[in-house]
Amino acid sequence: MAGVRVKRKKQRAKNFCEGELNILFEGVALKKDLLFSKLNTAVVSKNKAKAWNNIADKINSQFHGTRTGKQVKKKWQDVKQECLRIRALQKCPPTGGDPPPEDPWYADAVLNVLGEKTNLLDGIPGETEMVGFPHSVD
């Protein structure tokens, strides 16, 4: 039985607290030019990974955690996606009479990092938004 491996359950990480999220937002705001660069060379990718790891190190140093750069990057992506989803629902609420969802407490911080006029929220400047199907002229 020397070759038998015991499967261990992967331990779940703690939820991010408000202080950790604030450090995340500050770190992303300081390094946003690098982190959101469209260049995808090996050097840029390594620098992006280092930047995420530096943000994770700042979080870990203040909160005695074991966050990795990958976990921090994933959290940023999740928080950003949630804010954009809620803003889209506020802009065009679903039918049914329910009130649109309220912004989470960190929405302003995330949207400040993304920029006031981001294409993610407002679409492409100068383009018109089509609602429904165009009518054909016979």
Side-chain angles (χ1 to χ4, degrees):
M1 290 266 229
V4 176
R5 291 187 184 181
V6 178
K7 287 187 178 181
R8 297 167 79 189
K9 268 192 166 182
K10 187 177 178 182
Q11 182 133 3
R12 190 178 166 282
K14 292 181 183 178
N15 291 339
F16 278 74
C17 69
E18 186 174 333
E20 289 176 308
L21 288 174
N22 285 329
I23 294 172
L24 171 62
F25 301 147
E26 290 172 12
V28 170
L30 290 174
K31 299 283 186 179
K32 73 178 184 178
D33 292 335
L34 171 65
L35 294 174
F36 307 137
S37 170
K38 298 294 182 192
L39 296 175
N40 199 16
T41 63
V43 173
V44 173
S45 295
K46 284 182 184 179
N47 289 339
K48 286 181 182 183
K50 281 183 187 178
W52 286 116
N53 286 330
N54 287 340
I55 295 170
D57 291 343
K58 286 180 187 177
I59 291 172
N60 292 333
S61 68
Q62 289 192 14
F63 292 93
H64 309 294
T66 57
R67 307 259 186 223
T68 64
K70 284 185 179 183
Q71 289 173 325
V72 170
K73 180 180 179 182
K74 175 72 170 130
K75 184 62 178 179
W76 167 255
Q77 291 171 339
D78 292 346
V79 165
K80 179 182 76 169
Q81 182 179 13
E82 180 186 6
C83 288
L84 295 175
R85 181 185 62 79
I86 289 173
R87 282 291 165 103
L89 285 173
Q90 289 171 344
K91 186 177 179 182
C92 185
T95 60
D98 290 338
E102 292 185 19
D103 283 339
W105 65 267
Y106 49 77
D108 289 335
V110 172
L111 296 174
N112 285 338
V113 171
L114 294 176
E116 195 170 306
K117 286 290 188 179
T118 177
N119 289 344
L120 297 173
L121 286 174
D122 300 321
I124 300 171
E127 295 294 320
T128 58
E129 188 172 321
M130 288 183 54
V131 178
F133 295 102
H135 300 299
S136 62
V137 179
D138 291 326

